[in-house]
Short mmCIF file of all heavy atoms in Angstrom, two decimals:
data_model
loop_
_atom_site.label_atom_id
_atom_site.label_comp_id
_atom_site.label_asym_id
_atom_site.label_seq_id
_atom_site.Cartn_x
_atom_site.Cartn_y
_atom_site.Cartn_z
N LEU A 47 -9.03 26.75 -17.82
CA LEU A 47 -9.97 27.71 -17.25
C LEU A 47 -9.96 29.01 -18.05
O LEU A 47 -11.01 29.57 -18.34
CB LEU A 47 -9.64 27.99 -15.78
CG LEU A 47 -10.53 28.98 -15.05
CD1 LEU A 47 -11.97 28.48 -14.99
CD2 LEU A 47 -10.00 29.25 -13.66
N GLY A 48 -8.77 29.45 -18.42
CA GLY A 48 -8.68 30.65 -19.25
C GLY A 48 -9.34 30.47 -20.60
O GLY A 48 -10.06 31.34 -21.08
N GLY A 49 -9.12 29.31 -21.22
CA GLY A 49 -9.77 29.03 -22.50
C GLY A 49 -11.27 28.97 -22.38
O GLY A 49 -12.01 29.46 -23.24
N LEU A 50 -11.74 28.36 -21.29
CA LEU A 50 -13.17 28.28 -21.04
C LEU A 50 -13.78 29.67 -20.87
O LEU A 50 -14.85 29.98 -21.41
CB LEU A 50 -13.44 27.42 -19.80
CG LEU A 50 -14.89 27.25 -19.38
CD1 LEU A 50 -15.68 26.49 -20.43
CD2 LEU A 50 -14.95 26.53 -18.04
N LEU A 51 -13.09 30.51 -20.14
CA LEU A 51 -13.58 31.87 -19.90
C LEU A 51 -13.65 32.66 -21.21
O LEU A 51 -14.64 33.36 -21.47
CB LEU A 51 -12.67 32.58 -18.89
CG LEU A 51 -13.11 33.95 -18.43
CD1 LEU A 51 -14.43 33.88 -17.70
CD2 LEU A 51 -12.05 34.56 -17.54
N VAL A 52 -12.63 32.53 -22.04
CA VAL A 52 -12.63 33.22 -23.34
C VAL A 52 -13.77 32.71 -24.20
O VAL A 52 -14.47 33.51 -24.86
CB VAL A 52 -11.26 33.05 -24.04
CG1 VAL A 52 -11.33 33.51 -25.48
CG2 VAL A 52 -10.19 33.80 -23.28
N GLU A 53 -13.98 31.41 -24.22
CA GLU A 53 -15.05 30.85 -25.03
C GLU A 53 -16.43 31.31 -24.54
O GLU A 53 -17.32 31.61 -25.33
CB GLU A 53 -14.96 29.32 -25.02
CG GLU A 53 -15.84 28.65 -26.04
CD GLU A 53 -15.49 29.02 -27.47
OE1 GLU A 53 -14.31 29.29 -27.78
OE2 GLU A 53 -16.42 29.06 -28.30
N MET A 54 -16.60 31.38 -23.21
CA MET A 54 -17.87 31.88 -22.68
C MET A 54 -18.09 33.34 -23.06
O MET A 54 -19.20 33.75 -23.38
CB MET A 54 -17.90 31.71 -21.16
CG MET A 54 -18.10 30.31 -20.69
SD MET A 54 -18.15 30.29 -18.90
CE MET A 54 -18.40 28.56 -18.59
N TYR A 55 -17.02 34.12 -23.02
CA TYR A 55 -17.12 35.53 -23.40
C TYR A 55 -17.50 35.64 -24.88
O TYR A 55 -18.33 36.46 -25.26
CB TYR A 55 -15.78 36.23 -23.14
CG TYR A 55 -15.76 37.66 -23.58
CD1 TYR A 55 -16.39 38.65 -22.83
CD2 TYR A 55 -15.13 38.03 -24.76
CE1 TYR A 55 -16.38 39.97 -23.24
CE2 TYR A 55 -15.12 39.35 -25.18
CZ TYR A 55 -15.75 40.31 -24.42
OH TYR A 55 -15.73 41.61 -24.82
N ARG A 56 -16.88 34.80 -25.68
CA ARG A 56 -17.14 34.82 -27.12
C ARG A 56 -18.61 34.50 -27.41
O ARG A 56 -19.22 35.09 -28.29
CB ARG A 56 -16.22 33.82 -27.80
CG ARG A 56 -16.33 33.84 -29.32
CD ARG A 56 -15.35 32.88 -29.96
NE ARG A 56 -13.99 33.35 -29.70
CZ ARG A 56 -12.94 32.56 -29.58
NH1 ARG A 56 -13.08 31.26 -29.69
NH2 ARG A 56 -11.75 33.05 -29.35
N ARG A 57 -19.18 33.57 -26.66
CA ARG A 57 -20.57 33.17 -26.89
C ARG A 57 -21.57 34.09 -26.19
O ARG A 57 -22.76 33.95 -26.38
CB ARG A 57 -20.78 31.74 -26.43
CG ARG A 57 -20.01 30.77 -27.30
CD ARG A 57 -20.17 29.38 -26.84
NE ARG A 57 -19.32 28.52 -27.63
CZ ARG A 57 -19.71 27.39 -28.14
NH1 ARG A 57 -20.93 26.97 -27.94
NH2 ARG A 57 -18.88 26.65 -28.85
N GLY A 58 -21.09 34.97 -25.34
CA GLY A 58 -21.96 35.96 -24.73
C GLY A 58 -22.68 35.53 -23.47
O GLY A 58 -23.59 36.21 -23.01
N GLY A 59 -22.30 34.43 -22.86
CA GLY A 59 -22.95 34.00 -21.62
C GLY A 59 -21.95 33.28 -20.72
O GLY A 59 -21.11 32.51 -21.18
N PHE A 60 -22.06 33.57 -19.44
CA PHE A 60 -21.15 32.95 -18.47
C PHE A 60 -21.93 32.00 -17.59
O PHE A 60 -23.05 32.29 -17.18
CB PHE A 60 -20.49 34.03 -17.60
CG PHE A 60 -19.54 34.90 -18.36
CD1 PHE A 60 -19.94 36.15 -18.82
CD2 PHE A 60 -18.25 34.48 -18.62
CE1 PHE A 60 -19.08 36.94 -19.54
CE2 PHE A 60 -17.38 35.29 -19.33
CZ PHE A 60 -17.79 36.52 -19.79
N ARG A 61 -21.32 30.86 -17.28
CA ARG A 61 -21.90 29.92 -16.33
C ARG A 61 -21.04 29.95 -15.08
O ARG A 61 -19.96 29.37 -15.03
CB ARG A 61 -21.93 28.51 -16.92
CG ARG A 61 -23.00 28.37 -17.97
CD ARG A 61 -23.22 26.94 -18.38
NE ARG A 61 -23.31 26.04 -17.25
CZ ARG A 61 -23.08 24.74 -17.36
NH1 ARG A 61 -22.74 24.21 -18.52
NH2 ARG A 61 -23.17 23.96 -16.30
N ASP A 62 -21.54 30.65 -14.08
CA ASP A 62 -20.78 30.81 -12.84
C ASP A 62 -20.51 29.48 -12.15
O ASP A 62 -19.46 29.30 -11.54
CB ASP A 62 -21.51 31.76 -11.89
CG ASP A 62 -21.53 33.19 -12.42
OD1 ASP A 62 -20.65 33.53 -13.23
OD2 ASP A 62 -22.43 33.95 -12.00
N ASP A 63 -21.47 28.55 -12.22
CA ASP A 63 -21.28 27.26 -11.56
C ASP A 63 -20.11 26.49 -12.16
O ASP A 63 -19.30 25.89 -11.45
CB ASP A 63 -22.56 26.44 -11.61
CG ASP A 63 -23.03 26.17 -13.04
OD1 ASP A 63 -22.75 27.00 -13.94
OD2 ASP A 63 -23.68 25.13 -13.26
N LEU A 64 -19.97 26.53 -13.48
CA LEU A 64 -18.88 25.83 -14.14
C LEU A 64 -17.53 26.49 -13.83
O LEU A 64 -16.55 25.80 -13.54
CB LEU A 64 -19.13 25.80 -15.65
CG LEU A 64 -18.16 24.99 -16.49
CD1 LEU A 64 -18.13 23.54 -16.03
CD2 LEU A 64 -18.54 25.08 -17.95
N LEU A 65 -17.51 27.81 -13.85
CA LEU A 65 -16.27 28.53 -13.52
C LEU A 65 -15.86 28.28 -12.07
O LEU A 65 -14.68 28.07 -11.77
CB LEU A 65 -16.44 30.02 -13.77
CG LEU A 65 -16.58 30.45 -15.23
CD1 LEU A 65 -16.91 31.93 -15.32
CD2 LEU A 65 -15.33 30.12 -16.01
N ALA A 66 -16.85 28.28 -11.16
CA ALA A 66 -16.55 28.05 -9.75
C ALA A 66 -16.03 26.63 -9.53
O ALA A 66 -15.11 26.41 -8.73
CB ALA A 66 -17.80 28.29 -8.91
N GLU A 67 -16.58 25.67 -10.25
CA GLU A 67 -16.14 24.27 -10.12
C GLU A 67 -14.68 24.13 -10.56
O GLU A 67 -13.87 23.50 -9.87
CB GLU A 67 -17.04 23.38 -10.97
CG GLU A 67 -16.66 21.92 -10.96
CD GLU A 67 -17.57 21.12 -11.89
OE1 GLU A 67 -18.76 21.46 -12.01
OE2 GLU A 67 -17.05 20.16 -12.49
N ARG A 68 -14.35 24.72 -11.70
CA ARG A 68 -12.96 24.63 -12.20
C ARG A 68 -12.00 25.39 -11.29
O ARG A 68 -10.89 24.94 -11.04
CB ARG A 68 -12.88 25.19 -13.62
CG ARG A 68 -13.73 24.47 -14.63
CD ARG A 68 -13.14 23.10 -14.98
NE ARG A 68 -14.00 22.33 -15.84
CZ ARG A 68 -13.90 22.30 -17.16
NH1 ARG A 68 -12.99 22.99 -17.78
NH2 ARG A 68 -14.74 21.56 -17.85
N ALA A 69 -12.41 26.55 -10.79
CA ALA A 69 -11.56 27.32 -9.88
C ALA A 69 -11.36 26.57 -8.56
O ALA A 69 -10.26 26.59 -7.99
CB ALA A 69 -12.15 28.70 -9.62
N ALA A 70 -12.39 25.89 -8.08
CA ALA A 70 -12.27 25.11 -6.84
C ALA A 70 -11.27 23.98 -7.00
O ALA A 70 -10.52 23.65 -6.07
CB ALA A 70 -13.63 24.57 -6.42
N ALA A 71 -11.22 23.37 -8.19
CA ALA A 71 -10.24 22.31 -8.44
C ALA A 71 -8.83 22.87 -8.36
O ALA A 71 -7.93 22.23 -7.78
CB ALA A 71 -10.50 21.67 -9.80
#
Side-chain angles (χ1 to χ4, degrees):
L47 179 63
L50 179 65
L51 186 63
V52 169
E53 192 61 31
M54 286 181 180
Y55 176 77
R56 184 177 294 149
R57 293 178 185 226
F60 293 98
R61 286 191 46 202
D62 292 337
D63 59 332
L64 185 59
L65 292 173
E67 178 183 326
R68 299 287 174 95

